[in-house]
Amino acid sequence: MRIVVVGGVATGMSAAARARRLDESAEIIVLEKGPYVSFANCGLPYYVGGEIEDRTKLLVQTPESLREALNLDVRVDTEVVAMDAVAKTVTVRSVGETSTIRYDSLVLAPGAEAVRPPIPGLDSPRVMTLRSVDDALAMKEFVDSSAKQAVVLGAGFIGLEAAEALRHQGLDVSVVELAPHVLPPLEPELATYVKDALLSLGIDVRDGIGATEIRSDQHVDRVVLSDGTVLDADLVALSTGVRPATAPFEAAGVECFRGAMLVDSHGRTSLEDVWAGGDAVAMRPKNGLIPRVVPLAGPANRAGRLIADSILLGERAREIPVPLSTAVVRVGDQTAALTGANRQMLDADGREYETINLHPFQHATYFPGAKQMHLIVHFDPENGEILGAQGVGEEGVDKRIDVFATAIRGGLTISDLVDLDLTYAPPYGSAKDAVNMAGMLGENVLGGVTRLWHAEDLPTEMERALILDARSRTEYASGHVPGALNIPHTEIRERIDEISQEAAGRPIRVHCASGVRSYLSERMLRAAGFDVKNMTGGMITMKQVIAAGMLPGLELVEGEDRG
Ligand code: FAD
């Protein structure tokens, strides 16, 4: 049995190593077009930033160590340029020579390549990508020589890591993002915290704008933006996304969707004895959903292992689950993390969903160092299926999003989160952890104990409902919705008549700072017979939503007291 693996990093090397552990007698050949295998792509920004000082730490294995430990035949500087699924061969080019290699089973793990948008001047030597070890060495060399100012094009995960790394090295950094906000997979209202974190690092952020041209002269590149702004750059980091590196395989007949090889739940492509995984694939959709590429290291590594299982164990192999896109990034003192679907994906898939916003603390508030987190959870309003969760905060966000990711994978509903036994002592959490709280709120929504409204509904609700602000008078005076009536939640019972008069038959839409006091108010008002809803996330979410530009024209007013 000869297994040929194309691509020698995350998926490819996981597949090769697992194949050897399952079959001592197989001949396993790994073909890698670059000079390194099994390198730590995810560590590259931290090498550029100087947090990883020793470049050899990026090289997890070498062809020699892989031959010694696993008897793998690893051939670097060897690019697969064509394949023939009938003859079962791949054509390789290595040091100018072309040859063919026969396979019994073929694993395609070519990963992705940087998207190069059609911006004139992008071929300047000062424009660099950050995909390979050589890219990182070249960028670091620029940083160590004379670079003083950098422009990062694209504020996705890698763009943000690159921006922080370059800033850490003392460069003046501008980040330019065409999408309306940085870190586009994050919901806009949470992305405002990420933007603030970038600004706190001293990074200049230009979102909702694109670069139109790069003009080079002898000393500097000039990045021209669509509003005419010109940013000088000794270094331009290009991180405007990736696309699957599938050209030779698509040409050979592997069925693709938008350039990604379509695979089934065992990593099998449309061609016999050809498997694929990692950044170059999209899972064949179930239930009519849109296939998506998930270019992340965890799914890539795990898929490689399960592909080897499929080749060598056949039907006994476990299925590869559809990745949840669980991801995390550090930006200054903030962590942003997400798992599952965001609103954009849910809308594209035509799914019904309810959204809850929470602002819990990472541990008991009475213990020193309590830090607020900002969480968003989407779930199915009918059956409680958890569809996605995101969070931003200084501490504890990665832990909570990992719990949500586990819950989604395990098929738990939002109500099941109430029952999770999570670790608790005051320095670590709360007796009702943030995840439990999300479960309690979700369960209340499903059971009709609370009915939610959202900050985005404000323009409509201000027209037709009484907006009731259940915060204290001081909080109200510091900024409130125009025309909102202020009755602190502790006074609601005794002021029911007044509320009834103000409402004059209209529904009541109540909010407080975070959604807790307004929930108490909602319960009192419902018991008194009002049509009432509670704003999820309260004023904290409302301010995020306004900052994210989701409520154009709406401004909070200060001082006036209608209480
Ligand atoms: P890769 O690991 O990219 O390997 C593909 C290999 O195939 C490449 O070495 C390529 O040279 C080779 N190849 C391509 N075409 C051919 C061919 N025709 N013939 C031979 N060889 C070929 N993910 C996270 O989850 N967390 C992170 O923090 C994170 N940080 C990242 C930071 C950076 C800078 C980068 C670049 C990526 C990061 N990722 C991160 C993404 C993660 O590294 C990828 O999702 C993962 O490596 C994909 O694995 P893969 O096997 O599909 O592709």
Side-chain angles (χ1 to χ4, degrees), residues 447-525:
V449 177
T450 187
R451 290 169 61 215
L452 298 183
W453 67 298
H454 301 87
E456 306 89 279
D457 306 331
L458 258 167
T460 326
E461 297 295 359
M462 284 165 72
E463 292 279 314
R464 59 186 286 269
L466 171 68
I467 308 296
L468 180 63
D469 186 332
R471 298 176 299 160
S472 69
R473 288 180 181 77
T474 322
E475 287 171 288
Y476 177 84
S478 72
H480 57 264
V481 175
L485 174 69
N486 177 218
I487 299 195
H489 74 292
T490 46
E491 298 174 19
I492 286 194
R493 284 189 184 90
E494 72 233 30
R495 295 175 67 182
I496 286 283
D497 289 346
E498 190 184 330
I499 294 171
S500 186
Q501 260 178 17
E502 286 278 349
R506 292 176 295 165
I508 299 175
R509 299 296 175 248
V510 61
H511 80 83
C512 63
S514 68
V516 177
R517 285 172 288 172
S518 53
Y519 168 53
L520 303 178
S521 313
E522 178 198 6
R523 293 301 300 161
M524 291 181 247
L525 291 166

Side-chain angles (χ1 to χ4, degrees), residues 7 9-11 32-33 41-42 80 109-111 130 158 278-279 295-297 300:
V9 191
T11 313
E32 166 55 55
K33 77 172 178 186
N41 346 36
C42 310
V80 173
L130 187 51
I158 297 175
D279 287 4
L296 290 166

